[in-house]
Amino acid sequence: MKKEMTKLLLEYGIISSEEAEKIESINEETIAKSIKELGFNQTENITQEKIEENLDTEVLGKEIYCFRKVLSTNNIAKFLANHGSPEGTIVISEIQTKARGRSGTKWESPEGGIWMSIILRPNLEPAKASLITLAAGVAIAKTMRNRGIDAKIKWPNDVLIEGKKVSGVLTEANITFNKLDYVIVGVGIDTNLNIEDLSEDLKAGATTLHDEMKIEKVDENIIIADLLKEFEEIYKLYADQQIEAILKDWRDNSDTIGKYVEITQALGQKSIGYAVGINKEGSLIIEKTDGTLEKIISGRCRAIE
């Protein structure tokens, strides 16, 4: 992590190649301070100032750092979280070059999208951390539905429009001695990007807000501000352990419940059945052909026609 942060500072000319070579001698607090300063540099489309013009939150967006190009906003957020950045800190980049999705899959992040990570520090047991992914999905779907878009949520972490993926969530928790230190919520939204910039295996199943809203250009700064407001309201429910309210919103906007699905779990294990609901831990419940129920904690879900 320290090496990645040093490389970022080198690429932006914040430190010299000679300094980068002496990575072991560089104090991590100094690196964190430099990363924050870099996050205030001028970017092309998404800026702290423009987000704050429309921001109406108490906690989320307390600190906002915007970058032109990074490997991964989640990695920067984790580094900052480890060095004291408060809950509500936001890290955004206009381009990511080495982001990842669930199970280490590549998360393509060209220019024209919202690539954002949020630092949260919930005072709850680690077992409830996975519910933040569902809460983020609800907030994203609500942000889009407020614009007249019929956004749906596919378990566990995708937001779809007419069956095509427009957004995804990657949640990473840091746990020490069975205590939840912090959670990083990585959000990716295809706003103005050109679908042709995506790899062949993603093009057919992807869409953008630009295409769905049929406007010249989506203002990502306004989308970010609106999303943070929606997410903060849902996060308050989460912090107050009003889990059922979150699950109700998720179920109401689900693209998974009621469908015949195949879940590919770790090590390639597959489960097939009708998705009948999710429980209070956020696990998917499927009914198999023999009538038995199976709880799926995590995996890749696809509908079977």
Side-chain angles (χ1 to χ4, degrees):
M1 183 75 72
K2 181 179 181 181
K3 186 176 181 180
E4 179 182 332
M5 298 303 112
T6 305
K7 182 179 179 182
L8 175 65
L9 296 177
L10 174 61
E11 289 176 350
Y12 277 88
I14 305 300
I15 61 174
S16 67
S17 57
E18 290 78 14
E19 290 172 315
E21 288 174 0
K22 300 175 182 177
I23 181 173
E24 296 302 326
S25 65
I26 303 178
N27 182 281
E28 287 204 359
E29 293 296 337
T30 300
I31 296 176
K33 181 180 178 182
S34 297
I35 291 290
K36 291 179 179 180
E37 291 174 354
L38 179 58
F40 288 119
N41 283 4
Q42 188 63 38
T43 42
E44 305 230 349
N45 300 301
I46 302 173
T47 69
Q48 177 195 23
E49 293 78 14
K50 289 180 181 178
I51 294 169
E52 290 179 341
E53 283 177 9
N54 300 282
L55 192 60
D56 182 20
T57 59
E58 297 175 6
V59 176
L60 299 190
K62 183 176 294 186
E63 293 182 3
I64 300 175
Y65 302 106
C66 296
F67 300 86
R68 174 59 182 161
K69 181 190 292 186
V70 302
L71 295 180
S72 162
T73 59
N74 262 30
N75 283 0
I76 292 177
K78 282 188 284 186
F79 187 81
L80 294 180
N82 284 327
H83 291 86
S85 286
E87 178 166 72
T89 297
I90 312 297
V91 177
I92 302 166
S93 184
E94 295 178 332
I95 301 170
Q96 291 183 116
T97 59
K98 204 172 181 179
R100 64 195 180 282
R102 289 177 62 86
S103 304
T105 57
K106 185 179 180 181
W107 184 340
E108 297 188 19
S109 317
E111 185 168 10
I114 293 171
W115 322 119
M116 173 173 67
S117 297
I118 305 168
I119 298 176
L120 300 177
R121 298 184 183 274
N123 186 27
L124 292 173
E125 57 269 31
K128 287 188 168 63
S130 61
L131 288 169
I132 294 181
T133 300
L134 301 186
V138 170
I140 295 167
K142 279 191 169 184
T143 301
M144 295 180 185
R145 294 177 77 85
N146 289 343
R147 289 165 166 75
I149 299 172
D150 188 19
K152 298 287 186 181
I153 310 167
K154 187 183 83 168
W155 185 89
N157 66 336
D158 290 340
V159 177
L160 311 178
I161 302 173
E162 298 294 332
K164 292 188 175 184
K165 182 174 177 178
V166 71
S167 178
V169 179
L170 176 65
T171 301
E172 299 181 275
N174 189 73
I175 301 169
T176 306
F177 301 116
N178 205 34
K179 179 181 180 298
L180 191 59
D181 291 334
Y182 61 79
V183 177
I184 306 299
V185 182
V187 173
I189 303 176
D190 297 341
T191 47
N192 294 299
L193 63 82
N194 185 348
I195 294 295
E196 294 302 313
D197 289 339
L198 300 177
S199 58
E200 289 298 326
D201 59 329
L202 294 181
K203 287 179 183 178
T207 188
T208 69
L209 289 184
H210 169 266
D211 291 339
E212 299 297 332
M213 295 174 69
K214 295 178 174 55
I215 59 177
E216 183 175 344
K217 185 177 181 181
V218 175
D219 189 330
E220 284 120 347
N221 298 282
I222 294 177
I223 296 291
I224 291 168
D226 291 351
L227 171 58
L228 293 178
K229 180 176 177 59
E230 290 289 350
F231 190 27
E232 181 164 284
E233 292 178 2
I234 295 168
Y235 182 62
K236 286 178 182 177
L237 295 176
Y238 172 84
D240 291 339
Q241 302 195 52
Q242 296 183 43
I243 304 303
E244 190 52 45
I246 298 173
L247 296 182
K248 181 182 183 304
D249 278 342
W250 193 95
R251 295 178 184 120
D252 288 345
N253 294 293
S254 173
D255 186 70
T256 302
I257 294 175
K259 291 187 174 180
Y260 194 55
V261 298
E262 177 187 82
I263 312 295
T264 303
Q265 302 178 66
L267 304 178
Q269 178 185 346
K270 294 185 178 182
S271 299
I272 298 176
Y274 283 97
V276 296
I278 54 172
N279 64 14
K280 290 188 176 181
E281 286 76 45
S283 299
L284 183 69
I285 309 300
I286 65 170
E287 181 180 353
K288 300 198 286 188
T289 54
D290 62 3
T292 60
L293 299 178
E294 182 178 356
K295 179 176 74 172
I296 310 293
I297 297 175
S298 64
R300 188 171 67 254
C301 175
R302 74 176 184 91
I304 302 175
E305 297 297 336

